[in-house]
Amino acid sequence: MTRSLVIIENCAVATVDERGSEYAVGYVVVSDGRIVQVGSGAAPDVLHERARVVDGSGCLATPGLINTHHHLYQWIFRGLAQDATLFEWLTALYPRWARIDEPAVYAAARAGLGWLALSGCTTSADHHYLFPRGAGDLLGATVRAARELGVRLDATRGSMDLGRSAGGLPPDEVVEDLEDILSASKDAVERYHDPEPGAFSRIALAPCSPFSVTGELMVRTAELARELGVRLHTHLAETVEEDEYCREKHGHTPAEYVESLGWLGEDVWFAHGVHLDEAAIGRMAATGTGLAHCPSSNGRLGAGLAPIKALLNAGAPVGLGVDGAASQESGMLVEELRQAVYVSRLRALTGSAQRSLDARTALRLATAGGARVLGRQDEIGSLTPGRFADIALWKLDGLGHADITDPVAALVFGPPAPLKLLTVHGRIVVEDGELRTADSEQLARAARAAHLRMMED
């Protein structure tokens, strides 16, 4: 947007603020990358004289969606191990993933982030835990891709140090030495972490999972992260097999095990949490530990139905994630809103709002909930004056949505809605359904070429 003052008006507005304020016809005013006014009806006439005006007729304005868990490198490994459970899937794909290098990760990240933007996502976390020797700066490639696309990235420097020969799941050739991991983690924070409000690039530290890392790595990573002032992330309680592994090897459930290692707190978020028991849910809520809920991926891998309603009722922070594209080929964050509702209703075996999610709760998970999980709740996640202007303007007047009178229900339960506009920090990233910060066709060609190279025998 060329003018510093922009008005989006004549649209329905779901602010996702603390009160859940909504306007059947309303406006949003943006100045210098921040939201300055939100209200019902038309924007004040005096503002029109010096603003660029976007007509949002037939649209719904929401906060930009926030993806709390992804593996962007997996974009170029889609469609493989189609009928596998998690452990089978990992065993099949680790040898392919061991081939990744900087150009491949760059192509995958650009394609994945571009597609996320086209599905309304303005901020994405990425969990990269695979660093083959001599592969180049893989984390830097992902950060560079996000900067070029103009979206926010909370990248994690992941890690694995427990290979198959030591009782872990990953092949020995894809794990790293503990001291090398800690050194690389510190370097990643120094190079790519921006602690300032509204940062486009942040780093968290993220050992991969209880079956691919040692307890010592978990403990020392937590100590390092807290020394450096960054967040912590890992997979947890994703499958029955993981639960059995932790009970047999550590004598604890996955949640009990990570708590014993210092991995609960407001600076921690887990991915999946499908098999959390009541005690774990209570401890996560009491400590402010967050969860990235990935319903489609959990379905693709047959992992189960996460207890999201119970977590929310207890007060735990919960956001949504698409997870890696190799286990969620669609990669559209907006679809996860509907999937989250469906999963909660399948788990409850009822449509009762008291026992399962509704449309507005799903929208909150994808926006304000995700912001809280990533520690960005004072920056993004709601259309509130003072927040950064990460805004999605969804077209709901077409064949797929026009006869659903509740715009939030249309967005959540209808097909993926096209975007009239997507802004990050007030800058246009998507307009009229087209990516404006990159050439979508070029992204697709580069991803296809990287995929074919990774598949060569």
Side-chain angles (χ1 to χ4, degrees), residues 225-456:
R226 286 161 180 153
E227 175 187 330
L228 298 175
V230 299
R231 300 176 73 77
L232 290 161
H233 182 51
T234 192
H235 298 93
L236 193 76
E238 185 174 358
T239 65
V240 170
E241 291 84 357
E242 179 191 330
D243 187 82
E244 292 172 347
Y245 175 91
C246 286
R247 290 176 186 272
E248 180 180 344
K249 186 174 181 64
H250 305 297
H252 296 291
T253 67
E256 290 169 342
Y257 174 58
V258 296
E259 181 174 16
S260 74
L261 303 175
W263 271 71
L264 289 183
E266 293 182 354
D267 58 348
V268 179
W269 86 102
F270 302 133
H272 302 296
V274 176
H275 299 281
L276 295 170
D277 59 20
E278 289 187 11
I281 290 169
R283 291 295 296 140
M284 287 181 63
T287 56
T289 305
L291 184 80
H293 177 38
C294 306
S296 292
S297 176
N298 295 155
R300 159 77 150 85
L301 296 173
L305 309 173
I308 300 307
K309 185 67 172 177
L311 283 158
L312 292 174
N313 288 346
V318 180
L320 291 183
V322 298
D323 202 8
S327 65
Q328 207 281 57
E329 279 79 358
S330 172
M332 299 188 77
L333 186 55
V334 68
E335 290 186 333
E336 297 305 305
L337 281 72
R338 179 174 65 253
Q339 292 298 98
V341 175
Y342 288 0
V343 162
S344 74
R345 294 185 180 180
L346 286 170
R347 184 178 174 93
L349 296 179
T350 175
S352 168
Q354 285 71 45
R355 297 181 62 190
S356 61
L357 305 188
D358 58 24
R360 281 163 176 79
T361 302
L363 178 59
R364 181 168 292 276
L365 293 183
T367 53
R372 185 182 172 198
V373 165
L374 298 182
R376 288 180 175 264
Q377 61 268 33
D378 296 327
E379 306 169 21
I380 56 176
S382 70
L383 302 183
T384 303
R387 303 288 171 89
F388 293 100
D390 293 10
I391 303 170
L393 188 63
W394 309 90
K395 285 182 60 64
L396 299 178
D397 56 358
L399 182 60
H401 305 88
D403 56 345
I404 305 176
T405 55
D406 177 348
V408 174
L411 178 66
V412 174
F413 292 116
L419 287 165
K420 181 178 178 66
L421 194 70
L422 186 77
T423 69
V424 181
H425 221 93
R427 179 193 180 196
I428 292 175
V429 175
V430 176
E431 187 172 23
D432 294 327
E434 295 185 1
L435 196 60
R436 297 302 189 197
T437 52
D439 181 336
S440 295
E441 292 184 358
Q442 190 278 326
L443 298 185
R445 288 193 299 270
R448 173 71 174 172
H451 166 78
L452 293 175
R453 185 164 63 86
M454 294 296 104
M455 294 298 105
E456 291 175 355

Side-chain angles (χ1 to χ4, degrees), residues 126-192:
D126 183 56
H127 188 184
H128 191 104
Y129 53 84
L130 202 73
F131 294 89
R133 294 172 182 83
D137 186 1
L138 306 186
L139 198 65
T142 305
V143 171
R144 179 159 51 101
R147 288 174 177 169
E148 292 171 357
L149 270 294
V151 296
R152 303 187 198 278
L153 178 71
D154 283 31
T156 74
R157 205 299 174 178
S159 53
M160 299 190 294
D161 73 332
L162 186 65
R164 193 168 296 156
S165 64
L169 187 68
D172 289 351
E173 59 267 25
V174 299
V175 302
E176 300 176 275
D177 176 76
L178 186 150
E179 296 299 335
D180 290 342
I181 290 169
L182 297 174
S183 177
S185 297
K186 185 175 181 179
D187 180 68
V189 174
E190 292 173 349
R191 296 177 65 186
Y192 299 120

